[in-house]
């Protein structure tokens, strides 16, 4: 076991196509874990081992690999860049201590890198920046550095400068040591020489080194004072300051190179050792009670403490169910019995493995700081806490976004039905942003997800991995309903049926709530007209009705219900009577409160060559889009817009046609907004039509 100070749990994240997976490949090659690097475009990379990943050249699942560099142990997670799979990035960041943000030298800061950067900020993960693909046409290291300042509001600290541009790129100057690392054209990472700084770069190197020193000494008042008095800090002192600034996210050490051509990678690995925190240096994970409220205690990283571990990913493969686990405290041995605090059940740890993408090495034990996989856990789901039976605890839970798009699926033959049920069960366990429901009226299976590509891949996995042929319906938008007016009303539930009856009277107001508050219950009842013990029943009754609105039966959002008065009967009143009264109140009053249909609006980020900007903007306007921003880059223009999801189906085809195949786009859910009357009418008519068709069946 390596000691904890020698551990680095890191993730690699970026926009689609910035070179994350290739960067991971090079790290594995350099650290001796693999002998031949596979390429993403050949479908041969180590971490993209799913058929769908190899085919599309994108990463879908996060993959975990372990390797060693300068006697430090790296647990590396290569995460997806595509926006439909950001849940993978989010849950990986949750268990990582540091990260490498990879940016494309010509593409710069792209939409998905913004989202991932925001997630990493929220998770307080220290990062170093690697500007990749400097051998590409249009690549410009210092321009990308400036973009990280402007777009991400980050504070990059330039650690190296590139030697040569585009296809002339041959190495980097390390500003700390003032030495040039120059690679030959063999493409082998070990074929480099360390030389003096090229004569034409001396002035630039001194200018940037001075900026580096000034940024670093800001982290230490004594060093800063000495520097102001003309005393140059040593390299060790500078490294200590940079490490401190990286740890607090005050600065981000920034490197450059070409992962594909194997240039510049060693310095990035050294930076992981020198500047990214080990598990002990990171703020410990908070512990919570069953309701998810923080208790003020923390999972201190300590191998001698009772076991505290988080299951952050479930994966099903040919060897059975794999549960990926980050151990925060304690030790775990083969054969141990551990408690799952979410289910209250114990499980025995059978086989434990260290993951190397889809290969595995058997382990006898693991300890705090490790990221491992356990084979054959029965009832563990993503976000569950695994702990010592005698010391139960709950780690802070993971929160996953709500799906915004759904499709109806049915197996092509009867035999497929059971197979589909088993397969979908496994897929839900693997991906918490993927949900499945059965439509009560039609009996159809509804798959819900984060975008078209997300569901497309799920259908593909069902077909290929599980052999289930499906009939797939049209994509459906997850509309919602809300109210726009306040209503004061009264409802009495009265029933007499031999013996004791049921009685509950409530006077109440319903009004539009704040955005994103869901359902809020308040009571301003004075005196005992409605005894306090019945309030939860009233809240439950009204809240349970929020699942189906009155316009088209979509869930209702953002309603505030205030109980103002009422009456009860000493014998006939009960919790059930008041719950039924609240349900009746919903049916009676929601229709009076001017209900309105809401539609999901997506944050869309389109990249287009300059000569097609007019067409793209015109098309987004036709799709009811609101253009928010246009940013001119070296190779084209980025257009940011808010567009209703219902207008974005099949957009990639139109964009490719308009831009001769050169346009790209990404989108993520932004917010719910009011639906225009004409669209609302259309949706209501479609729902009615669907229900009529189902009734005929």
């Amino acid at each position: 076991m390596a000691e904890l100070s020698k551990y680095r749990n890191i993730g690699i994240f970026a926009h689609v196509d910035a070179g994350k997976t290739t960067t991971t490949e090079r790290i594995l090659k350099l650290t001796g874990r693999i002998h031949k690097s596979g390429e993403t475009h050949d479908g041969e990379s180590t971490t993209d081992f799913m058929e769908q990943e190899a085919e599309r050249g994108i990463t879908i699942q996060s993959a975990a690999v372990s390797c060693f560099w300068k006697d430090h142990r790296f647990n590396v997670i290569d995460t997806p860049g595509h926006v439909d799979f950001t849940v993978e990035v989010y849950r990986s960041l949750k268990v990582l201590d540091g990260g490498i943000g990879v940016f494309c030298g010509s593409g710069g800061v792209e939409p998905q890198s913004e989202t991932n950067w925001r997630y990493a900020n929220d998770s307080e993960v220290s990062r170093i920046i690697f500007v990749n693909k400097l051998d590409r046409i249009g690549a410009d290291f210092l321009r990308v550095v400036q973009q990280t300042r402007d777009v991400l509001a980050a504070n990059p600290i330039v650690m190296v400068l590139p030697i040569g541009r585009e296809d002339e790129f041959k190495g980097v100057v390390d500003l700390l040591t003032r030495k040039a690392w120059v690679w030959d054209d063999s493409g082998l990472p070990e074929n480099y020489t360390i030389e003096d700084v090229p004569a034409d770069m001396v002035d630039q190197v001194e200018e940037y080194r001075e900026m580096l020193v000034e940024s670093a000494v800001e982290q230490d008042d004594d060093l800063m004072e000495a520097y102001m008095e003309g005393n140059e800090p040593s390299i060790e002192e500078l490294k200590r300051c940079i490490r401190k600034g990286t740890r607090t996210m005050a600065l981000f050490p920034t490197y450059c190179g070409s992962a594909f051509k194997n240039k510049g990678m060693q310095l990035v690995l050294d930076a992981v050792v020198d500047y990214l925190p080990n598990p002990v240096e990171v703020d410990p994970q908070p512990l919570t009670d069953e309701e998810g409220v923080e208790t003020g205690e923390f999972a201190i990283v300590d191998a001698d403490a009772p076991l505290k571990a988080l299951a952050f990913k479930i994966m099903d493969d040919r060897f059975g169910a794999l549960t990926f686990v980050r151990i925060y405290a304690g030790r775990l041995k083969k054969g141990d019995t551990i408690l799952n605090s979410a289910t209250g059940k114990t499980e025995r740890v059978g086989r434990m493995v260290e993951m190397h993408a889809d290969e595995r090495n058997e382990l006898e034990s693991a300890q705090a700081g490790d990221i491992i996989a356990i084979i054959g856990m029965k009832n563990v789901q993503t976000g569950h806490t695994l702990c010592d039976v005698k010391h139960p605890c709950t780690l802070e839970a993971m929160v996953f976004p709500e799906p915004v798009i759904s499709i109806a699926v049915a197996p092509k033959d009867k035999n497929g039905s059971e197979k589909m049920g088993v397969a979908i069960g496994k897929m839900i366990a693997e991906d918490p942003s993927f949900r499945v429901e059965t439509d009560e009226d039609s009996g159809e299976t509804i798959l819900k997800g984060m975008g078209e590509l997300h569901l497309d891949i799920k259908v593909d996995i069902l077909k290929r991995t599980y052999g289930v042929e499906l009939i797939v319906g049209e994509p459906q938008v997850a509309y919602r309903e809300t109210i726009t007016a306040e209503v004061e009303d009264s409802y009495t539930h009265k029933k007499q049926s031999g013996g004791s009856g049921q009685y509950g009277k409530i006077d109440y107001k319903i009004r539009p709530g704040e955005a994103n508050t869901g359902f809020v219950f308040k009571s301003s009842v004075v005196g005992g007209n409605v005894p306090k013990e019945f309030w939860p029943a009233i809240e439950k009754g009204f809240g349970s009705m929020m699942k189906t609105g009155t316009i088209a039966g979509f869930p209702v959002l953002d309603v505030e219900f205030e109980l103002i008065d009422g009456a009860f009967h000493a014998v006939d009143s009960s919790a059930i009577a008041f719950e039924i009264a609240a349900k009746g109140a919903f049916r009676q009053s929601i229709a009076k409160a001017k209900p309105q249909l809401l539609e999901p609006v997506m944050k869309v980020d389109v990249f287009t060559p300059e000569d097609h900007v007019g067409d793209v903007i015109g098309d987004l306007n036709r799709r009811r889009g609101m253009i928010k921003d246009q940013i001119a880059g070296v190779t084209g223009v980025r257009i940011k817009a808010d567009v209703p999801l219902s207008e974005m189906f099949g957009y990639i085809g139109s964009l490719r046609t308009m831009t001769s195949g050169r346009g790209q786009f990404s989108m993520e859910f932004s917010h719910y907004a009011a639906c225009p009357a004409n669209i609302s009418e259309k949706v209501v008519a479609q729902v009615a039509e669907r229900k009529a068709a189902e009734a005929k069946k």
Side-chain angles (χ1 to χ4, degrees):
M1 285 284 171
E3 59 181 86
L4 284 175
S5 64
K6 299 275 179 78
Y7 271 62
R8 297 291 181 272
N9 290 322
I10 59 167
I12 295 182
F13 45 86
H15 185 81
V16 178
D17 223 18
K20 294 176 305 303
T21 302
T22 308
T23 303
T24 309
E25 286 291 309
R26 297 311 184 249
I27 289 175
L28 297 178
K29 175 84 173 66
L30 272 173
T31 55
R33 270 316 292 258
I34 54 174
H35 299 295
K36 170 187 175 287
S37 297
E39 303 306 344
T40 316
H41 51 258
D42 298 336
E44 285 183 357
S45 64
T46 309
T47 50
D48 284 355
F49 52 84
M50 283 170 65
E51 275 179 65
Q52 289 83 358
E53 296 180 305
E55 244 174 51
R56 295 166 195 247
I58 61 171
T59 302
I60 295 167
Q61 304 191 63
S62 330
V65 283
S66 303
C67 54
F68 285 84
W69 180 254
K70 297 194 172 170
D71 71 346
H72 282 67
R73 178 196 176 96
F74 290 5
N75 292 319
V76 186
I77 294 189
D78 169 31
T79 62
H82 200 286
V83 71
D84 285 9
F85 308 104
T86 38
V87 62
E88 289 283 343
V89 181
Y90 166 76
R91 61 170 159 195
S92 303
L93 282 166
K94 179 93 181 145
V95 296
L96 295 170
D97 304 325
I100 303 174
V102 180
F103 298 93
C104 171
S106 57
V109 177
E110 294 167 289
Q112 198 50 42
S113 33
E114 277 183 64
T115 305
N116 291 342
W117 195 264
R118 194 171 68 241
Y119 279 167
N121 284 343
D122 293 346
S123 303
E124 296 183 0
V125 172
S126 307
R127 277 145 285 166
I128 54 183
I129 292 171
F130 175 54
V131 179
N132 189 22
K133 301 193 177 184
L134 277 201
D135 52 328
R136 287 274 283 271
I137 290 172
D140 182 340
F141 174 57
L142 296 175
R143 178 174 55 82
V144 179
V145 170
Q146 192 54 46
Q147 277 189 344
T148 60
R149 281 197 186 93
D150 299 344
V151 181
L152 305 175
N155 181 17
I157 174 170
V158 175
M159 304 296 293
V160 299
L161 286 174
I163 303 169
R165 292 187 66 145
E166 299 176 356
D167 53 359
E168 301 283 304
F169 173 69
K170 58 181 184 178
V172 297
V173 174
D174 179 354
L175 294 178
L176 278 180
T177 58
R178 295 185 174 92
K179 288 289 176 200
W181 293 55
V182 180
W183 280 264
D184 64 17
D185 288 328
S186 65
L188 296 170
E190 57 273 18
N191 287 4
Y192 66 89
T193 50
I194 294 185
E195 303 168 6
D196 289 332
V197 175
D200 61 346
M201 286 183 70
V202 171
D203 291 348
Q204 190 192 21
V205 166
E206 288 311 309
E207 178 195 343
Y208 275 87
R209 191 175 194 280
E210 195 176 317
M211 283 154 60
L212 184 157
V213 174
E214 283 170 6
S215 295
V217 295
E218 279 176 9
Q219 301 299 314
D220 185 314
D221 293 345
D222 295 344
L223 274 183
M224 187 154 184
E225 219 168 285
Y227 179 63
M228 301 295 246
E229 287 164 10
N231 298 320
E232 178 86 3
S234 70
I235 287 178
E236 286 318 307
E237 287 171 328
L238 286 171
K239 280 187 172 179
R240 193 188 75 236
C241 290
I242 296 166
R243 186 180 179 83
K244 182 185 171 193
T246 307
R247 161 76 192 81
T248 57
M249 301 200 305
L251 41 89
F252 299 93
T254 302
Y255 291 81
C256 65
S258 164
F260 182 58
K261 296 276 176 68
N262 273 313
K263 293 175 182 174
M265 295 305 298
Q266 284 94 330
L267 288 98
V268 177
L269 293 183
D270 287 345
V272 170
V273 168
D274 288 340
Y275 306 125
L276 290 181
N278 66 50
V280 182
E281 292 171 309
V282 175
D283 291 340
Q285 286 282 324
L287 297 178
T288 66
D289 59 17
E290 286 80 12
E291 301 298 310
V293 178
E294 290 188 16
T295 58
E297 291 178 55
F298 294 90
I300 308 292
V301 177
D302 177 2
D304 298 321
L307 177 73
K308 294 178 186 71
L310 184 72
F312 69 94
K313 179 178 166 64
I314 314 288
M315 202 170 98
D316 203 76
D317 71 358
R318 61 187 190 276
F319 299 103
L322 279 173
T323 304
F324 282 81
V325 174
R326 162 75 198 262
I327 303 174
Y328 286 104
R331 290 186 171 84
L332 190 57
K333 290 191 209 59
K334 209 167 147 177
D336 280 357
T337 297
I338 56 176
L339 173 71
N340 176 345
S341 65
T343 60
K345 295 188 172 138
T346 56
E347 294 212 31
R348 192 169 166 279
V349 177
R351 293 168 60 205
M352 287 167 28
V353 292
E354 171 189 274
M355 291 302 295
H356 179 56
D358 65 340
E359 294 171 21
R360 59 218 56 210
N361 305 322
E362 295 277 342
L363 294 172
E364 291 301 314
S365 67
Q367 66 170 28
D370 279 329
I371 292 178
I372 58 154
I374 302 174
I375 297 176
M377 302 287 274
K378 299 275 187 304
N379 301 307
V380 178
Q381 290 178 7
T382 300
H384 282 181
T385 300
L386 307 175
C387 55
D388 188 314
V389 178
K390 294 189 186 118
H391 300 89
C393 66
T394 306
L395 287 152
E396 186 181 48
M398 295 167 142
V399 183
F400 295 107
E402 287 297 313
V404 291
I405 181 173
S406 63
I407 49 172
V409 295
K412 278 191 178 163
D413 53 45
K414 288 236 168 80
N415 306 340
S417 209
E418 197 175 317
K419 255 165 66 180
M420 181 175 87
V422 172
I424 283 177
K426 289 178 177 177
M427 288 161 69
I428 294 169
E430 289 179 11
D431 180 355
S433 65
F434 174 58
R435 314 270 169 90
V436 177
E437 280 176 13
T438 304
D439 187 302
E440 286 169 21
D441 301 328
S442 66
E444 285 180 318
T445 301
I446 310 288
L447 308 185
K448 299 183 166 190
M450 304 311 296
E452 268 186 293
L453 179 67
H454 192 202
L455 293 180
D456 188 23
I457 299 253
K458 295 297 176 199
V459 169
D460 203 29
I461 292 172
L462 278 167
K463 189 167 145 188
R464 278 204 258 178
T465 312
Y466 296 105
V468 183
E469 288 288 339
L470 294 174
I471 301 160
V472 181
E474 287 292 302
Q476 302 294 328
V477 176
Y479 289 100
R480 294 287 181 265
E481 297 181 20
T482 192
I483 56 171
T484 58
E486 181 171 322
V487 170
E488 188 170 328
D489 218 337
S490 177
Y491 189 91
T492 306
H493 170 65
K494 203 177 194 172
K495 195 176 174 194
Q496 203 65 43
S497 55
S500 65
Q502 287 182 357
Y503 180 82
K505 175 177 186 282
I506 53 174
D507 298 340
Y508 55 90
K509 287 179 185 171
I510 58 167
R511 59 178 77 94
E514 293 288 314
N516 306 318
T517 51
F519 168 55
V520 176
F521 174 84
K522 288 179 177 174
S523 174
S524 54
V525 176
V526 184
N529 290 354
V530 180
K532 257 197 178 146
E533 65 261 30
F534 298 137
W535 294 2
I538 296 167
E539 180 175 1
K540 183 183 167 197
F542 201 91
S544 68
M545 298 292 284
M546 297 276 291
K547 293 192 184 83
T548 12
T550 53
I551 306 175
F554 293 108
V556 183
L557 290 182
D558 308 336
V559 172
E560 193 177 287
F561 175 97
E562 186 182 355
L563 181 64
I564 48 177
D565 204 355
F568 80 107
H569 187 279
V571 178
D572 292 352
S573 285
S574 63
I576 289 287
F578 275 103
E579 191 178 321
I580 295 169
K583 288 180 176 176
F586 180 94
R587 282 190 292 267
Q588 171 179 290
S589 303
I590 285 286
K592 299 179 189 172
K594 297 188 179 159
Q596 183 178 50
L597 201 63
L598 299 174
E599 60 182 349
V601 174
M602 309 302 278
K603 199 155 73 178
V604 178
D605 210 315
V606 187
F607 170 82
T608 169
E610 232 164 86
D611 39 354
H612 299 293
V613 173
D615 297 341
V616 170
I617 287 180
D619 181 64
L620 287 172
N621 285 334
R622 275 194 297 282
R623 294 171 188 270
R624 299 192 285 126
M626 290 273 295
I627 309 296
K628 291 289 175 103
D629 203 358
Q630 287 182 58
I631 304 157
V634 175
T635 50
V637 178
R638 268 177 69 189
I639 299 160
K640 295 186 173 199
D642 285 351
V643 191
L645 173 63
S646 60
E647 305 288 347
M648 289 301 290
F649 291 139
Y651 180 63
I652 188 67
S654 312
L655 180 64
R656 284 185 180 145
T657 308
M658 275 184 292
T659 60
S660 318
R662 285 153 64 207
Q664 290 177 330
F665 89 105
S666 83
M667 66 177 181
E668 61 180 307
F669 173 70
S670 172
H671 60 279
Y672 274 97
C675 236
N678 59 332
I679 303 291
S680 191
E681 282 162 21
K682 217 185 280 178
V683 173
V684 172
Q686 281 168 352
V687 170
E689 217 171 281
R690 225 174 26 243
K691 286 192 172 155
E694 281 154 15
K696 275 183 193 163
K697 284 181 194 170

